[in-house]
Amino acid sequence: MSTAVPAAEPEAAPYVRLLGEPAITLASGRLSFLRDRRYLLLAYLAYHRDWVPRERLARLFWPAHERGDARLNVRQLLRRTRRLWWRPEIEASEH
């Protein structure tokens, strides 16, 4: 008689709520978005659900900065966002 090992439950995909109080629901619970550019970036990307050019992010978040400075800020923002304790997955091209 063989013993069947139950299949592991697939982890629920994160759910992002944008209306009302922005939040993300993870397997570990609900997390409200802070008033911080990292969370604004996540909300913007979740809303678009497609590739967003870095130039657009640069103009949106740093409209008064020079192009090169704004693009550097985008790279730093992406890096800081990926370092949130719950490690959001952000897929980005090199440039």
Side-chain angles (χ1 to χ4, degrees):
M1 179 181 230
S2 69
T3 326
V5 176
E9 291 275 332
E11 192 170 312
Y15 174 77
V16 178
R17 184 178 69 184
L18 298 176
L19 296 176
E21 180 185 351
I24 185 166
T25 302
L26 306 165
S28 59
R30 186 175 162 272
L31 175 69
S32 294
F33 279 15
L34 301 175
R35 294 177 191 259
D36 172 311
R37 278 195 175 126
R38 296 171 299 172
Y39 294 91
L40 292 173
L41 173 65
L42 291 171
Y44 188 80
L45 295 175
Y47 173 77
H48 280 278
R49 299 183 68 174
D50 201 358
W51 289 95
V52 176
R54 288 177 189 237
E55 287 295 326
R56 184 183 308 162
L57 295 174
R59 285 191 313 269
L60 177 68
F61 285 97
W62 295 278
H65 285 65
E66 294 293 324
R67 181 176 180 251
D69 292 338
R71 286 183 56 88
L72 173 64
N73 289 342
V74 168
R75 283 193 301 276
Q76 292 172 345
L77 177 59
L78 286 166
R79 187 177 314 117
R80 287 191 353 257
T81 304
R82 286 184 178 117
R83 291 182 181 157
L84 288 168
W85 70 268
W86 48 280
R87 301 282 191 227
E89 292 183 31
I90 301 173
E91 188 175 346
S93 64
E94 290 296 316
H95 302 291

Coordinates of all heavy atoms in Angstrom, one line a residue:
M1 N 0.8 -1.2 0.0 CA 0.0 0.0 0.0 C 0.9 1.2 0.0 O 1.8 1.4 0.8 CB -0.9 0.0 1.2 CG -1.8 1.1 1.4 SD -2.8 1.0 2.8 CE -4.3 1.3 2.2
S2 N 0.7 2.1 -1.0 CA 1.5 3.3 -1.0 C 0.8 4.5 -0.3 O -0.4 4.5 -0.2 CB 1.8 3.7 -2.5 OG 0.6 4.2 -3.0
T3 N 1.6 5.3 0.3 CA 1.1 6.5 1.0 C 1.2 7.7 0.1 O 2.3 8.0 -0.3 CB 1.9 6.7 2.3 OG1 2.4 5.5 2.8 CG2 1.1 7.4 3.3
A4 N 0.1 8.3 -0.2 CA 0.1 9.5 -1.0 C 0.5 10.7 -0.2 O 0.0 10.9 0.9 CB -1.2 9.7 -1.7
V5 N 1.4 11.5 -0.7 CA 1.8 12.8 -0.1 C 0.9 13.9 -0.6 O 0.9 14.0 -1.9 CB 3.3 13.1 -0.3 CG1 3.7 14.4 0.3 CG2 4.2 12.0 0.2
P6 N 0.2 14.6 0.2 CA -0.7 15.6 -0.3 C 0.1 16.7 -1.0 O 1.2 17.1 -0.6 CB -1.4 16.2 0.9 CG -0.6 15.7 2.1 CD 0.2 14.5 1.7
A7 N -0.4 17.2 -2.1 CA 0.3 18.3 -2.8 C 0.2 19.6 -2.0 O -0.7 19.8 -1.3 CB -0.5 18.5 -4.1
A8 N 1.3 20.3 -2.1 CA 1.4 21.6 -1.4 C 0.4 22.5 -2.0 O 0.2 22.6 -3.2 CB 2.8 22.1 -1.4
E9 N -0.2 23.3 -1.1 CA -1.2 24.3 -1.5 C -0.4 25.4 -2.3 O 0.6 25.9 -1.8 CB -1.9 25.0 -0.3 CG -2.8 24.1 0.4 CD -4.2 24.1 -0.3 OE1 -4.6 25.1 -0.9 OE2 -4.9 23.0 -0.2
P10 N -0.9 25.8 -3.5 CA -0.2 26.9 -4.2 C -0.4 28.2 -3.4 O -1.4 28.4 -2.8 CB -0.8 27.0 -5.5 CG -2.1 26.3 -5.4 CD -2.0 25.3 -4.2
E11 N 0.7 29.0 -3.3 CA 0.6 30.2 -2.6 C -0.2 31.2 -3.4 O -0.1 31.3 -4.6 CB 2.0 30.8 -2.4 CG 2.1 31.9 -1.4 CD 3.5 32.4 -1.1 OE1 4.3 31.5 -0.8 OE2 3.7 33.6 -1.2
A12 N -1.1 31.8 -2.7 CA -2.0 32.8 -3.3 C -1.2 33.9 -3.9 O -0.3 34.4 -3.3 CB -3.1 33.3 -2.3
A13 N -1.6 34.4 -5.1 CA -0.9 35.5 -5.7 C -1.2 36.8 -4.9 O -2.3 36.9 -4.4 CB -1.4 35.7 -7.1
P14 N -0.3 37.7 -4.8 CA -0.6 39.0 -4.1 C -1.7 39.7 -4.8 O -1.9 39.6 -6.0 CB 0.7 39.8 -4.3 CG 1.8 38.8 -4.6 CD 1.1 37.6 -5.3
Y15 N -2.5 40.4 -4.0 CA -3.7 41.1 -4.5 C -3.5 42.6 -4.1 O -3.3 42.9 -2.9 CB -5.0 40.6 -3.9 CG -6.2 41.4 -4.2 CD1 -6.8 41.3 -5.5 CD2 -6.7 42.3 -3.3 CE1 -7.9 42.1 -5.8 CE2 -7.8 43.1 -3.6 CZ -8.4 42.9 -4.9 OH -9.5 43.7 -5.2
V16 N -3.5 43.5 -5.1 CA -3.3 44.9 -4.8 C -4.6 45.6 -4.9 O -5.3 45.5 -5.9 CB -2.3 45.5 -5.8 CG1 -2.1 47.0 -5.5 CG2 -0.9 44.8 -5.7
R17 N -5.0 46.3 -3.8 CA -6.2 47.1 -3.8 C -5.8 48.6 -4.0 O -4.9 49.1 -3.2 CB -6.9 47.0 -2.5 CG -8.2 47.7 -2.5 CD -9.0 47.5 -1.2 NE -8.2 48.2 -0.1 CZ -8.5 48.2 1.1 NH1 -9.5 47.5 1.5 NH2 -7.8 48.8 2.0
L18 N -6.3 49.3 -5.0 CA -5.9 50.6 -5.3 C -7.0 51.7 -4.9 O -6.7 52.8 -4.8 CB -5.6 50.8 -6.8 CG -4.4 49.9 -7.2 CD1 -4.3 50.1 -8.7 CD2 -3.2 50.3 -6.5
L19 N -8.3 51.2 -4.7 CA -9.3 52.2 -4.4 C -9.5 52.1 -2.8 O -9.3 51.1 -2.2 CB -10.6 51.8 -5.0 CG -10.6 51.9 -6.6 CD1 -12.0 51.4 -7.1 CD2 -10.3 53.3 -7.0
G20 N -9.8 53.3 -2.3 CA -9.9 53.4 -0.8 C -8.5 53.5 -0.3 O -7.6 54.2 -0.8
E21 N -8.2 52.7 0.8 CA -6.8 52.7 1.3 C -6.0 51.7 0.5 O -6.2 50.5 0.6 CB -6.8 52.3 2.8 CG -5.5 52.3 3.4 CD -5.5 51.8 4.8 OE1 -6.5 51.6 5.4 OE2 -4.4 51.6 5.4
P22 N -5.0 52.2 -0.3 CA -4.2 51.2 -1.0 C -3.5 50.2 -0.1 O -3.0 50.6 0.9 CB -3.2 52.1 -1.8 CG -3.8 53.5 -1.8 CD -4.6 53.5 -0.5
A23 N -3.5 48.9 -0.6 CA -2.9 47.9 0.2 C -2.6 46.7 -0.7 O -3.1 46.6 -1.8 CB -3.9 47.5 1.4
I24 N -1.8 45.8 -0.1 CA -1.5 44.6 -0.8 C -1.8 43.4 0.2 O -1.5 43.5 1.4 CB -0.1 44.5 -1.3 CG1 0.1 43.2 -2.1 CG2 0.9 44.6 -0.2 CD1 1.4 43.2 -2.9
T25 N -2.5 42.4 -0.4 CA -2.7 41.2 0.4 C -1.8 40.1 0.0 O -1.8 39.7 -1.2 CB -4.2 40.8 0.3 OG1 -5.1 41.8 0.7 CG2 -4.5 39.6 1.2
L26 N -1.0 39.7 1.0 CA 0.0 38.6 0.7 C -0.4 37.4 1.5 O -1.4 37.4 2.3 CB 1.4 39.1 1.2 CG 1.9 40.4 0.7 CD1 3.1 40.9 1.5 CD2 2.3 40.2 -0.7
A27 N 0.3 36.3 1.3 CA -0.1 35.1 2.1 C 0.1 35.3 3.6 O -0.7 34.8 4.4 CB 0.9 33.9 1.6
S28 N 1.0 36.2 4.0 CA 1.2 36.5 5.4 C 0.2 37.6 5.9 O 0.3 37.8 7.1 CB 2.6 37.0 5.6 OG 2.9 38.2 4.8
G29 N -0.6 38.2 5.1 CA -1.6 39.1 5.6 C -1.7 40.4 4.7 O -1.0 40.5 3.7
R30 N -2.4 41.3 5.2 CA -2.7 42.6 4.5 C -1.7 43.6 4.9 O -1.4 43.8 6.1 CB -4.1 43.1 4.7 CG -4.5 44.3 3.9 CD -6.0 44.6 4.2 NE -6.3 45.9 3.8 CZ -6.2 47.0 4.5 NH1 -5.8 46.9 5.8 NH2 -6.4 48.2 4.1
L31 N -1.2 44.4 4.0 CA -0.2 45.4 4.3 C -0.7 46.7 3.6 O -0.8 46.8 2.4 CB 1.2 45.0 3.7 CG 2.3 46.0 3.8 CD1 2.7 46.3 5.3 CD2 3.5 45.6 3.0
S32 N -0.9 47.7 4.4 CA -1.3 49.0 3.9 C -0.1 49.7 3.2 O 1.0 49.6 3.7 CB -1.9 49.9 5.0 OG -3.1 49.4 5.5
F33 N -0.3 50.4 2.1 CA 0.7 51.2 1.5 C 1.0 52.4 2.3 O 0.2 53.1 2.8 CB 0.3 51.6 0.1 CG 0.4 50.5 -1.0 CD1 0.6 49.2 -0.6 CD2 0.4 50.8 -2.3 CE1 0.7 48.2 -1.6 CE2 0.5 49.9 -3.3 CZ 0.7 48.5 -2.9
L34 N 2.3 52.7 2.4 CA 2.7 53.9 3.1 C 2.8 55.1 2.1 O 2.8 54.9 0.9 CB 4.2 53.7 3.7 CG 4.3 52.5 4.7 CD1 5.7 52.4 5.1 CD2 3.4 52.8 5.9
R35 N 2.8 56.3 2.6 CA 2.9 57.5 1.7 C 4.4 57.6 1.4 O 5.1 58.5 2.1 CB 2.4 58.7 2.4 CG 0.9 58.5 2.6 CD 0.3 59.7 3.4 NE -1.0 59.5 3.7 CZ -2.1 59.9 3.1 NH1 -2.0 60.7 2.0 NH2 -3.3 59.6 3.5
D36 N 4.9 56.9 0.5 CA 6.3 56.8 0.2 C 6.4 56.4 -1.3 O 5.5 55.7 -1.8 CB 6.8 55.6 1.1 CG 8.2 55.2 0.8 OD1 8.6 54.9 -0.3 OD2 9.0 55.0 1.8
R37 N 7.4 56.9 -2.0 CA 7.5 56.7 -3.4 C 7.6 55.2 -3.8 O 7.1 54.8 -4.9 CB 8.7 57.4 -4.0 CG 8.5 58.9 -4.2 CD 9.5 59.5 -5.1 NE 9.2 60.8 -5.5 CZ 10.0 61.9 -5.2 NH1 11.2 61.7 -4.7 NH2 9.6 63.1 -5.6
R38 N 8.1 54.4 -2.9 CA 8.2 53.0 -3.2 C 6.8 52.4 -3.4 O 6.5 51.6 -4.4 CB 8.9 52.2 -2.1 CG 10.4 52.6 -2.0 CD 10.9 52.0 -0.7 NE 10.2 52.4 0.5 CZ 10.4 51.9 1.7 NH1 11.3 51.0 1.9 NH2 9.7 52.4 2.7
Y39 N 5.9 52.8 -2.6 CA 4.5 52.3 -2.7 C 3.7 53.0 -3.8 O 2.9 52.4 -4.4 CB 3.8 52.5 -1.3 CG 4.4 51.6 -0.2 CD1 5.4 52.0 0.6 CD2 4.0 50.3 -0.1 CE1 6.0 51.2 1.5 CE2 4.6 49.5 0.9 CZ 5.6 49.9 1.7 OH 6.1 49.1 2.6
L40 N 4.0 54.2 -4.0 CA 3.4 54.9 -5.2 C 3.8 54.2 -6.5 O 3.0 54.0 -7.4 CB 3.8 56.4 -5.2 CG 3.3 57.3 -4.1 CD1 4.0 58.7 -4.2 CD2 1.8 57.4 -4.2
L41 N 5.1 53.8 -6.6 CA 5.6 53.1 -7.7 C 4.8 51.8 -7.9 O 4.4 51.4 -9.0 CB 7.1 52.8 -7.6 CG 7.7 51.9 -8.7 CD1 7.6 52.6 -10.1 CD2 9.1 51.6 -8.4
L42 N 4.7 51.0 -6.8 CA 4.0 49.8 -6.9 C 2.5 49.9 -7.3 O 2.0 49.2 -8.1 CB 4.1 49.0 -5.5 CG 5.5 48.5 -5.2 CD1 5.5 48.0 -3.7 CD2 5.9 47.4 -6.1
A43 N 1.9 51.0 -6.8 CA 0.5 51.2 -7.1 C 0.4 51.6 -8.6 O -0.5 51.1 -9.3 CB -0.1 52.3 -6.3
Y44 N 1.3 52.4 -9.1 CA 1.3 52.8 -10.5 C 1.5 51.6 -11.4 O 0.8 51.4 -12.4 CB 2.4 53.9 -10.7 CG 2.4 54.5 -12.1 CD1 1.5 55.5 -12.4 CD2 3.2 54.1 -13.1 CE1 1.4 56.1 -13.7 CE2 3.2 54.6 -14.4 CZ 2.3 55.6 -14.6 OH 2.2 56.2 -15.9
L45 N 2.5 50.8 -11.1 CA 2.8 49.6 -11.9 C 1.6 48.6 -11.8 O 1.3 48.0 -12.9 CB 4.1 48.9 -11.4 CG 5.3 49.7 -11.6 CD1 6.5 49.0 -11.0 CD2 5.6 50.0 -13.1
A46 N 1.0 48.4 -10.7 CA -0.2 47.5 -10.6 C -1.3 48.0 -11.4 O -2.0 47.2 -12.0 CB -0.6 47.4 -9.1
Y47 N -1.5 49.3 -11.4 CA -2.6 49.9 -12.2 C -2.4 49.7 -13.7 O -3.3 49.3 -14.4 CB -2.7 51.4 -11.9 CG -3.7 52.1 -12.8 CD1 -5.0 52.0 -12.6 CD2 -3.2 52.9 -13.9 CE1 -6.0 52.7 -13.4 CE2 -4.1 53.5 -14.7 CZ -5.5 53.4 -14.5 OH -6.4 54.0 -15.3
H48 N -1.2 49.8 -14.2 CA -0.9 49.7 -15.6 C -0.8 48.2 -16.0 O -1.1 48.0 -17.2 CB 0.4 50.5 -16.0 CG 0.1 51.9 -16.1 ND1 -0.4 52.4 -17.3 CD2 0.3 52.9 -15.3 CE1 -0.5 53.7 -17.1 NE2 -0.1 54.0 -15.9
R49 N -0.4 47.3 -15.2 CA -0.3 45.9 -15.5 C 0.4 45.6 -16.8 O 0.0 44.6 -17.5 CB -1.7 45.3 -15.5 CG -2.4 45.4 -14.2 CD -3.8 44.8 -14.2 NE -3.5 43.3 -14.3 CZ -4.5 42.5 -14.3 NH1 -5.7 42.8 -14.1 NH2 -4.2 41.2 -14.4
D50 N 1.3 46.4 -17.2 CA 2.1 46.2 -18.4 C 3.4 46.9 -18.2 O 3.7 47.6 -17.2 CB 1.4 46.8 -19.6 CG 1.8 46.2 -20.9 OD1 2.7 45.4 -20.9 OD2 1.3 46.6 -21.9
W51 N 4.3 46.8 -19.2 CA 5.6 47.5 -19.1 C 5.4 49.0 -19.1 O 4.5 49.5 -19.8 CB 6.5 47.1 -20.3 CG 7.0 45.7 -20.3 CD1 6.4 44.6 -20.9 CD2 8.1 45.3 -19.6 NE1 7.1 43.5 -20.6 CE2 8.2 43.9 -19.8 CE3 9.1 45.9 -18.8 CZ2 9.2 43.1 -19.3 CZ3 10.1 45.1 -18.3 CH2 10.2 43.7 -18.5
V52 N 6.1 49.7 -18.3 CA 6.1 51.1 -18.2 C 7.5 51.6 -18.5 O 8.4 51.3 -17.8 CB 5.6 51.6 -16.8 CG1 5.6 53.1 -16.7 CG2 4.2 51.1 -16.5
P53 N 7.6 52.5 -19.5 CA 9.0 53.0 -19.8 C 9.6 53.8 -18.6 O 8.9 54.5 -17.9 CB 8.7 53.9 -21.0 CG 7.4 53.5 -21.6 CD 6.6 53.0 -20.4
R54 N 10.9 53.6 -18.4 CA 11.5 54.3 -17.3 C 11.4 55.8 -17.5 O 11.4 56.6 -16.5 CB 13.0 53.9 -17.2 CG 13.2 52.5 -16.7 CD 14.6 52.1 -16.7 NE 14.7 50.7 -16.4 CZ 15.5 50.2 -15.4 NH1 16.1 51.0 -14.6 NH2 15.5 48.9 -15.2
E55 N 11.4 56.3 -18.8 CA 11.3 57.7 -19.0 C 10.0 58.3 -18.5 O 10.0 59.4 -17.9 CB 11.4 58.0 -20.5 CG 12.7 57.9 -21.1 CD 13.7 58.9 -20.6 OE1 13.3 60.0 -20.3 OE2 14.9 58.5 -20.5
R56 N 8.9 57.5 -18.6 CA 7.6 57.9 -18.1 C 7.7 58.0 -16.6 O 7.2 59.0 -16.0 CB 6.5 56.9 -18.5 CG 5.2 57.4 -18.1 CD 4.0 56.5 -18.4 NE 4.0 56.1 -19.8 CZ 3.4 55.1 -20.3 NH1 2.7 54.3 -19.5 NH2 3.4 54.8 -21.5
L57 N 8.3 57.0 -15.9 CA 8.4 57.1 -14.5 C 9.3 58.2 -14.0 O 9.0 58.9 -13.1 CB 9.1 55.8 -13.9 CG 8.2 54.5 -14.2 CD1 9.0 53.3 -13.7 CD2 6.9 54.6 -13.4
A58 N 10.4 58.5 -14.8 CA 11.2 59.6 -14.5 C 10.5 61.0 -14.5 O 10.6 61.8 -13.6 CB 12.4 59.7 -15.4
R59 N 9.7 61.1 -15.6 CA 8.9 62.4 -15.7 C 7.8 62.5 -14.7 O 7.5 63.6 -14.2 CB 8.3 62.5 -17.1 CG 9.3 62.8 -18.2 CD 8.6 63.1 -19.5 NE 7.5 62.2 -19.9 CZ 7.7 61.1 -20.7 NH1 9.0 60.9 -21.2 NH2 6.8 60.3 -21.0
L60 N 7.2 61.3 -14.4 CA 6.1 61.3 -13.4 C 6.6 61.7 -12.0 O 6.0 62.5 -11.3 CB 5.4 59.9 -13.4 CG 4.3 59.7 -12.4 CD1 3.1 60.6 -12.7 CD2 3.9 58.3 -12.4
F61 N 7.7 61.0 -11.5 CA 8.1 61.2 -10.2 C 9.1 62.4 -10.0 O 9.1 62.9 -8.9 CB 8.8 59.9 -9.7 CG 7.9 58.8 -9.4 CD1 7.6 57.8 -10.3 CD2 7.2 58.7 -8.2 CE1 6.7 56.8 -10.0 CE2 6.3 57.7 -7.9 CZ 6.1 56.7 -8.8
W62 N 9.8 62.8 -11.0 CA 10.8 63.9 -10.9 C 10.6 64.8 -12.1 O 11.6 64.9 -12.9 CB 12.2 63.3 -10.8 CG 12.4 62.5 -9.5 CD1 12.7 63.1 -8.3 CD2 12.3 61.1 -9.4 NE1 12.7 62.1 -7.4 CE2 12.5 60.9 -8.0 CE3 12.0 60.1 -10.2 CZ2 12.5 59.6 -7.5 CZ3 12.0 58.8 -9.7 CH2 12.2 58.6 -8.4
P63 N 9.5 65.5 -12.3 CA 9.3 66.3 -13.5 C 10.2 67.5 -13.6 O 10.5 68.0 -14.7 CB 7.8 66.8 -13.3 CG 7.5 66.7 -11.9 CD 8.4 65.5 -11.4
A64 N 10.7 68.0 -12.5 CA 11.6 69.2 -12.5 C 13.1 68.8 -12.6 O 13.9 69.7 -12.7 CB 11.4 70.0 -11.2
H65 N 13.4 67.6 -12.6 CA 14.8 67.2 -12.7 C 15.3 67.0 -14.1 O 14.5 66.8 -15.0 CB 15.0 65.8 -12.0 CG 15.0 65.9 -10.5 ND1 13.9 66.3 -9.8 CD2 16.0 65.7 -9.5 CE1 14.2 66.3 -8.5 NE2 15.4 66.0 -8.3
E66 N 16.6 67.1 -14.3 CA 17.2 66.8 -15.6 C 17.0 65.4 -15.9 O 16.9 64.5 -15.0 CB 18.7 67.1 -15.6 CG 19.0 68.6 -15.4 CD 18.6 69.4 -16.6 OE1 18.7 68.9 -17.8 OE2 18.2 70.6 -16.4
R67 N 17.0 65.0 -17.2 CA 16.7 63.7 -17.6 C 17.6 62.6 -17.0 O 17.1 61.6 -16.4 CB 16.8 63.6 -19.2 CG 16.5 62.2 -19.7 CD 16.6 62.3 -21.3 NE 16.3 61.0 -21.8 CZ 17.2 60.2 -22.4 NH1 18.4 60.6 -22.5 NH2 16.9 59.0 -22.9
G68 N 18.9 62.9 -17.0 CA 19.8 61.9 -16.4 C 19.6 61.7 -14.9 O 19.7 60.6 -14.4
D69 N 19.4 62.8 -14.2 CA 19.2 62.7 -12.8 C 17.9 62.0 -12.5 O 17.8 61.2 -11.5 CB 19.1 64.1 -12.1 CG 20.4 64.9 -12.2 OD1 21.5 64.2 -12.3 OD2 20.4 66.1 -12.1
A70 N 16.8 62.3 -13.2 CA 15.6 61.6 -13.0 C 15.7 60.1 -13.3 O 15.2 59.3 -12.5 CB 14.5 62.2 -13.9
R71 N 16.4 59.7 -14.3 CA 16.6 58.3 -14.6 C 17.4 57.6 -13.5 O 17.2 56.5 -13.1 CB 17.3 58.1 -16.0 CG 16.3 58.4 -17.1 CD 16.9 58.1 -18.5 NE 17.4 56.8 -18.6 CZ 16.7 55.7 -19.0 NH1 15.4 55.8 -19.3 NH2 17.3 54.5 -19.2
L72 N 18.4 58.3 -13.0 CA 19.2 57.7 -11.8 C 18.3 57.5 -10.7 O 18.3 56.5 -10.0 CB 20.3 58.7 -11.5 CG 21.1 58.3 -10.2 CD1 21.8 57.0 -10.4 CD2 22.1 59.4 -9.9
N73 N 17.4 58.5 -10.4 CA 16.4 58.4 -9.3 C 15.5 57.2 -9.5 O 15.1 56.5 -8.6 CB 15.6 59.6 -9.2 CG 16.4 60.8 -8.6 OD1 17.5 60.6 -8.0 ND2 16.0 62.0 -8.8
V74 N 15.1 56.9 -10.8 CA 14.2 55.8 -11.1 C 15.0 54.5 -10.7 O 14.4 53.6 -10.1 CB 13.8 55.7 -12.5 CG1 13.1 54.4 -12.9 CG2 12.8 56.9 -12.8
R75 N 16.3 54.4 -11.1 CA 17.0 53.2 -10.8 C 17.2 53.0 -9.3 O 17.0 51.9 -8.8 CB 18.5 53.3 -11.4 CG 18.5 53.0 -12.9 CD 19.9 52.8 -13.4 NE 20.8 53.9 -13.2 CZ 20.9 55.0 -14.0 NH1 20.1 55.1 -15.1 NH2 21.7 56.0 -13.7
Q76 N 17.4 54.0 -8.6 CA 17.5 54.0 -7.1 C 16.2 53.6 -6.5 O 16.1 52.8 -5.5 CB 18.1 55.3 -6.5 CG 19.5 55.5 -6.9 CD 20.0 56.9 -6.5 OE1 19.2 57.8 -6.2 NE2 21.3 57.1 -6.6
L77 N 15.1 54.1 -7.0 CA 13.8 53.8 -6.5 C 13.4 52.4 -6.7 O 12.9 51.7 -5.8 CB 12.7 54.7 -7.2 CG 11.3 54.5 -6.8 CD1 11.0 54.6 -5.3 CD2 10.3 55.4 -7.6
L78 N 13.7 51.8 -7.9 CA 13.5 50.4 -8.2 C 14.3 49.5 -7.2 O 13.8 48.6 -6.6 CB 13.9 50.1 -9.6 CG 12.9 50.5 -10.7 CD1 13.5 50.4 -12.1 CD2 11.6 49.8 -10.6
R79 N 15.5 49.9 -7.0 CA 16.4 49.1 -6.0 C 15.8 49.2 -4.6 O 15.7 48.2 -3.9 CB 17.8 49.7 -6.0 CG 18.8 48.9 -5.2 CD 20.2 49.4 -5.3 NE 20.6 49.7 -6.7 CZ 21.0 50.9 -7.1 NH1 21.0 52.0 -6.2 NH2 21.4 51.2 -8.3
R80 N 15.4 50.4 -4.2 CA 14.8 50.5 -2.8 C 13.5 49.7 -2.7 O 13.2 49.2 -1.6 CB 14.6 52.0 -2.5 CG 15.9 52.7 -2.2 CD 15.8 54.1 -1.6 NE 14.4 54.6 -1.5 CZ 13.9 55.6 -2.3 NH1 14.6 56.0 -3.3 NH2 12.7 56.0 -2.1
T81 N 12.7 49.8 -3.7 CA 11.4 49.1 -3.7 C 11.6 47.6 -3.6 O 10.9 46.9 -2.9 CB 10.6 49.4 -5.0 OG1 10.5 50.9 -5.0 CG2 9.2 48.8 -4.9
R82 N 12.6 47.0 -4.4 CA 12.9 45.6 -4.3 C 13.4 45.2 -2.9 O 13.3 44.0 -2.6 CB 13.9 45.2 -5.4 CG 13.4 45.2 -6.8 CD 14.4 44.7 -7.7 NE 14.0 44.7 -9.1 CZ 14.4 45.4 -10.1 NH1 15.4 46.3 -9.9 NH2 13.9 45.3 -11.3
R83 N 13.9 46.1 -2.1 CA 14.4 45.8 -0.8 C 13.4 45.9 0.3 O 13.7 45.7 1.5 CB 15.6 46.7 -0.5 CG 16.8 46.4 -1.4 CD 17.9 47.3 -1.0 NE 19.1 47.0 -1.8 CZ 20.1 47.8 -2.1 NH1 20.0 49.0 -1.5 NH2 21.0 47.5 -2.9
L84 N 12.1 46.1 0.0 CA 11.1 46.1 1.0 C 11.1 44.7 1.7 O 11.4 43.7 1.0 CB 9.7 46.4 0.4 CG 9.5 47.8 -0.1 CD1 8.2 47.9 -0.9 CD2 9.4 48.8 1.2
W85 N 10.7 44.6 2.9 CA 10.8 43.4 3.7 C 10.1 42.2 3.0 O 10.4 41.1 3.1 CB 10.4 43.6 5.1 CG 8.9 43.8 5.3 CD1 8.2 45.0 5.3 CD2 7.9 42.8 5.4 NE1 6.9 44.8 5.4 CE2 6.6 43.4 5.5 CE3 7.9 41.4 5.4 CZ2 5.4 42.8 5.6 CZ3 6.7 40.7 5.5 CH2 5.5 41.4 5.6
W86 N 9.0 42.5 2.3 CA 8.2 41.4 1.6 C 8.7 41.1 0.2 O 8.1 40.3 -0.5 CB 6.7 41.7 1.7 CG 6.3 43.1 1.3 CD1 6.4 44.2 2.1 CD2 5.8 43.5 0.1 NE1 6.0 45.3 1.3 CE2 5.6 44.9 0.1 CE3 5.5 42.8 -1.1 CZ2 5.0 45.6 -0.9 CZ3 4.9 43.5 -2.1 CH2 4.7 44.9 -2.0
R87 N 9.7 41.8 -0.2 CA 10.4 41.5 -1.5 C 9.5 41.5 -2.7 O 9.3 40.4 -3.3 CB 11.2 40.2 -1.5 CG 12.2 40.2 -0.4 CD 13.4 40.9 -0.9 NE 14.6 40.7 0.0 CZ 15.3 41.7 0.5 NH1 15.1 42.9 0.2 NH2 16.3 41.4 1.2
P88 N 8.9 42.6 -3.1 CA 8.0 42.6 -4.3 C 8.8 42.2 -5.5 O 10.0 42.6 -5.6 CB 7.5 44.0 -4.4 CG 8.5 44.9 -3.6 CD 9.0 44.0 -2.5
E89 N 8.2 41.5 -6.4 CA 8.8 41.1 -7.6 C 8.6 42.1 -8.7 O 7.4 42.3 -9.1 CB 8.3 39.7 -8.1 CG 8.8 38.6 -7.2 CD 8.3 37.3 -7.7 OE1 8.2 37.1 -9.0 OE2 8.1 36.4 -6.9
I90 N 9.6 42.8 -9.1 CA 9.5 43.8 -10.2 C 10.4 43.4 -11.3 O 11.6 43.3 -11.1 CB 9.9 45.2 -9.7 CG1 9.0 45.6 -8.5 CG2 9.8 46.2 -10.8 CD1 9.5 46.9 -7.8
E91 N 9.8 43.1 -12.4 CA 10.5 42.8 -13.6 C 10.9 44.0 -14.4 O 10.0 44.8 -14.7 CB 9.7 41.8 -14.5 CG 10.5 41.2 -15.6 CD 9.7 40.2 -16.4 OE1 8.6 39.8 -15.9 OE2 10.1 39.9 -17.5
A92 N 12.2 44.2 -14.7 CA 12.6 45.4 -15.4 C 13.7 45.0 -16.3 O 14.5 44.1 -16.1 CB 13.1 46.4 -14.4
S93 N 13.8 45.7 -17.4 CA 14.9 45.6 -18.4 C 16.1 46.3 -17.9 O 16.0 47.1 -16.9 CB 14.4 46.1 -19.8 OG 14.2 47.5 -19.7
E94 N 17.2 46.1 -18.5 CA 18.4 46.7 -18.0 C 18.4 48.2 -18.2 O 19.0 49.0 -17.5 CB 19.6 46.1 -18.8 CG 19.9 44.7 -18.4 CD 20.4 44.6 -16.9 OE1 21.2 45.4 -16.4 OE2 19.9 43.7 -16.2
H95 N 17.7 48.7 -19.3 CA 17.7 50.1 -19.5 C 16.3 50.6 -19.7 O 15.5 50.1 -20.2 CB 18.6 50.4 -20.8 CG 20.0 50.0 -20.6 ND1 20.9 50.6 -19.8 CD2 20.7 49.0 -21.2 CE1 22.0 49.9 -19.8 NE2 21.9 49.0 -20.7

